[in-house]
Amino acid sequence: MKARMPSTAGPKVLLLGAIEHQKVKDAWSSLSALGELITPKSTNPKDFLEECRSGAFDGVKAAYRTFASVDITGRVEGEVVEALRKAGLTFLCHNGAGYDQINVSDCTAAGIRVSNVPTIVNAATADTAIFLMLGALRSYNLPLVNLRKGEFRGKRKPPLGHDPEGKVLGILGMGGIGRDMKKKAEAFGMSVVYHNRSELDPELAGGAKYVSFEELLKTSDVISLNLPLNDATHHIISTAEFEKMKTGVVIVNTARGPIMDEAALVEALNSEKVFSAGLDVYEEEPKVHPGLMGNDNVMLLPHMGTWTYETQEKMELHVVENVRNALENGALLIYEQGPRTKK
């Protein structure tokens, strides 16, 4: 094998996936003053790995990746990380809040710094959680379906729902999205408890009560999942946890599907332990468990948490600015280091 010759030109800047907004496309194009903008020719993980190894990306310093680019690259781990390291990649700027498509430990070991979009997603995702919570509490899914079938409320009366006022919202994962949801839920007259790995500063908690995981399960009328997906949170809600919950509880998940055992949720819904659920994410996206699809009392969205023009544009701009900072200053605005595993 011939030795790779070092490039004397400026660094390469790799775009993995598509930029949607014109303002951001213009911002991306302006990076050409700092390096050579490139895109992969491959369209699947096998070909992408071969393209990496061929030398096509040699001299790459930074990469912008989208959530959908996983179809091109596969999960960013193992051989892919090693091939990108050999090509020269130092900065991987991810357009999303979660790292479940990226093995951060592998990147860290390879000297690749990874960044995300940690705060811009908060408001839109919390809005989605509130929408799903209200729809699930009020049993709105069935009448919505019946109305579009021309049956108005339906051939049989829809089940009576529940008011949010006076209910206890338990937030599992009181990060930025959880705190935003807390403020919005309080406008509906709900009280809020939360559980984190550690208790928040009182000012940051904003009056929400810190409780143990078990107490949150036992006392909440609505439970919202707002956790990152990692080894410690996979299936953190399953059969044993449902058994501890109030009968008639409502479950909301706008985080990541595998945080909750979907089969266990279906069983809890069928037994009426869980009154309803509002879901934006699924364990095997885009596949949805047939027991959820067939349940008229469940509110389902196809991963729409940040699906607004304003939020998507802000997210894209943030990633471009992260790439720019990496090229100009050799550093990321925000980055993640180290593994996330069970303790």
Side-chain angles (χ1 to χ4, degrees), residues 155-216:
K155 294 177 181 178
R156 58 183 176 86
K157 288 183 179 181
L160 285 172
H162 297 281
D163 295 323
E165 187 172 3
K167 301 297 189 296
V168 176
L169 168 62
I171 296 178
L172 189 57
M174 191 75 151
I177 296 168
R179 294 194 299 275
D180 197 299
M181 185 181 183
K182 170 216 171 264
K183 291 187 290 186
K184 290 166 178 171
E186 287 174 338
F188 292 95
M190 302 183 80
S191 59
V192 179
V193 299
Y194 75 97
H195 179 73
N196 267 358
R197 287 177 295 180
S198 57
E199 186 172 358
L200 295 178
D201 178 271
E203 186 176 348
L204 201 57
K209 181 184 177 183
Y210 178 76
V211 297
S212 68
F213 180 43
E214 188 161 324
E215 185 175 350
L216 184 143

Side-chain angles (χ1 to χ4, degrees), residues 262 265-266 269 277 279 282 288-296 298 300:
E262 273 187 9
L265 172 62
V266 169
L269 284 161
L279 307 175
Y282 306 93
V288 180
H289 194 294
L292 297 173
M293 294 290 285
N295 191 315
D296 290 332
V298 175
L300 305 176

